[in-house]
C-alpha cells in the first residue's frame, strides 16, 4: 500500500493567494483527518471526516479555511486568502473506523505539506 | 481544557543507553493513550496504543506504561540506537461514540542519540 499521499510536499506562496492542499487516504479507510503542526503549538486537529461527511470542524481557525471530501479517495484543504501565520506543516491522516470494534484504530499519517506564506 | 504535557522537552543520550519520556494529561473522558514517533520531515508513526484498562504495552525496544489514576504515562526506550533520534509525541484520545477517536497531542520530546 502506498500509504497516505499528500500533495504538494512543499508550497511557497504570497500573502493573499489561494492555497489548496490535497490528500489521498489509504484505500479502504473511512475516516480522514487534517492536522496542522507548528513549533509553537505542535499538532492540532483542524477537521475530520467520517464516510466523507465532516464530523468535527471545531479546529478550523477561521472562515479562510475550508475542507472538502467529495469521495472516499480524495480530500482538499483550502486556504483563501492565505496569511503568513498560516505557515506550517499540514498533515492528512486516515484510519478505518468500525463502530463497536474491540481494537482501537490507528491513524496513519501522510508525509505532510510544508506551507510557507510570504 | 484538555491538555497533554510532556517532559523533558529535549534529551540527548549516548547510543546504547536507556531513557524514559514522561507524559501527563488532563483529557477527560479518557479513551486511550498513544505514543507516536516523528522523524524530521516526516509524518508521525504510531508506536503503541493503550486503553484505560491497560498499564503497559511494548513494541520492540519501546515500552509504554499508563497510570490512568494519576493520568501519567511514560515511554521507555531500551538500548537506544541512532535511528531513535526523533520527536516522541504523547497523544490522548477522547471518548466519543459513533466515530473515530479525536486526538489531543502533546508538544513532544525531541530525542537525540549520539555516538
Amino acid at each position: 500500500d502506498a500509504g497516505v499521499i499528500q500533495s504538494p510536499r512543499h508550497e511557497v506562496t504570497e500573502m493573499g493567494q489561494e492555497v489548496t492542499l490535497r490528500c489521498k487516504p489509504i484505500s479502504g479507510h473511512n475516516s480522514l483527518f487534517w492536522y496542522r503542526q507548528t513549533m509553537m503549538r505542535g499538532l492540532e486537529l483542524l477537521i475530520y471526516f467520517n464516510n466523507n461527511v465532516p464530523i468535527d470542524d471545531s479546529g478550523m481557525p477561521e472562515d479562510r479555511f475550508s475542507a472538502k471530501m467529495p469521495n472516499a479517495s480524495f480530500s482538499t484543504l483550502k486556504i483563501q486568502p492565505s496569511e503568513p501565520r498560516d505557515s506550517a506543516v499540514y498533515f492528512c491522516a486516515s484510519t478505518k473506523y468500525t463502530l463497536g470494534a474491540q481494537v482501537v484504530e490507528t491513524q496513519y499519517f501522510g508525509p505532510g505539506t510544508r506551507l510557507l506564506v510570504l | 481544557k484538555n491538555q497533554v504535557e510532556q517532559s523533558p522537552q529535549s534529551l540527548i543520550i549516548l547510543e546504547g543507553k536507556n531513557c524514559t519520556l514522561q507524559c501527563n494529561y488532563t483529557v477527560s473522558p479518557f479513551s486511550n493513550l498513544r505514543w507516536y514517533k516523528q522523524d524530521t520531515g516526516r509524518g508521525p508513526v504510531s508506536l503503541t496504543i493503550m486503553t484505560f484498562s491497560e498499564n503497559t504495552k511494548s513494541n520492540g525496544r519501546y515500552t509504554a506504561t499508563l497510570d490512568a489514576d494519576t493520568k501519567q504515562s511514560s515511554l521507555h526506550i531500551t538500548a537506544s540506537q541512532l535511528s531513535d533520534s526523533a520527536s516522541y509525541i504523547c497523544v490522548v484520545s477522547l471518548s466519543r461514540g459513533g466515530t473515530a477517536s479525536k486526538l489531543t497531542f502533546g508538544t513532544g520530546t525531541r530525542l537525540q542519540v549520539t555516538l
Side-chain angles (χ1 to χ4, degrees):
Chain A
D1 197 319
V4 176
I5 298 173
Q6 291 187 246
S7 65
R9 292 294 311 276
H10 302 273
E11 178 80 30
V12 180
T13 189
E14 292 185 343
M15 182 174 63
Q17 296 298 305
E18 178 180 293
V19 176
T20 299
L21 311 181
R22 298 173 176 79
C23 175
K24 177 178 169 57
I26 292 174
S27 177
H29 283 189
N30 58 0
S31 293
L32 183 141
F33 307 78
W34 281 101
Y35 294 95
R36 178 171 66 177
Q37 185 176 39
T38 62
M39 289 293 293
M40 292 298 295
R41 300 172 67 92
L43 269 160
E44 301 174 289
L45 176 67
L46 298 176
I47 185 171
Y48 101 83
F49 296 84
N50 195 46
N51 293 322
N52 311 339
V53 177
I55 301 298
D56 186 343
D57 65 354
S58 59
M60 296 286 263
E62 47 197 274
D63 292 345
R64 297 184 298 105
F65 285 69
S66 62
K68 294 182 179 180
M69 191 164 188
N71 57 62
S73 59
F74 184 66
S75 177
T76 59
L77 177 68
K78 185 175 294 187
I79 308 172
Q80 166 63 19
S82 58
E83 297 182 2
R85 59 192 169 121
D86 302 331
S87 298
V89 182
Y90 290 82
F91 287 102
C92 175
S94 71
T95 191
K96 181 174 175 59
Y97 175 75
T98 303
L99 184 63
Q102 296 300 309
V103 177
V104 178
E105 78 283 1
T106 295
Q107 290 190 18
Y108 296 87
F109 284 74
T113 295
R114 186 174 295 274
L115 174 65
L116 177 61
V117 183
L118 302 174
Chain B
K1 179 181 178 182
N2 292 322
Q3 286 190 319
V4 179
E5 303 286 342
Q6 291 188 243
S7 62
Q9 282 191 325
S10 61
L11 182 64
I12 302 174
I13 62 173
L14 293 175
E15 185 182 30
K17 298 296 186 182
N18 304 334
C19 67
T20 300
L21 314 179
Q22 302 291 342
C23 173
N24 298 327
Y25 63 92
T26 60
V27 174
S28 181
F30 170 81
S31 175
N32 57 78
L33 186 143
R34 312 163 187 230
W35 283 93
Y36 277 82
K37 177 186 179 187
Q38 185 175 20
D39 292 313
T40 300
R42 310 192 72 164
V45 175
S46 180
L47 293 175
T48 62
I49 301 177
M50 293 179 289
T51 65
F52 64 87
S53 61
E54 297 176 292
N55 55 26
T56 187
K57 184 71 70 78
S58 290
N59 178 0
R61 295 180 297 101
Y62 301 102
T63 299
T65 64
L66 172 64
D67 186 332
D69 291 332
T70 62
K71 297 186 177 181
Q72 295 179 326
S73 176
S74 65
L75 180 69
H76 186 74
I77 304 174
T78 303
S80 61
Q81 300 176 0
L82 295 178
S83 59
D84 293 331
S85 296
S87 288
Y88 292 84
I89 305 172
C90 176
V91 187
V92 180
S93 173
L94 283 168
S95 292
R96 59 195 298 160
T99 61
S101 304
K102 180 174 182 178
L103 307 183
T104 300
F105 292 79
T107 52
T109 292
R110 177 69 195 173
L111 173 66
Q112 184 177 349
V113 180
T114 65
L115 293 171

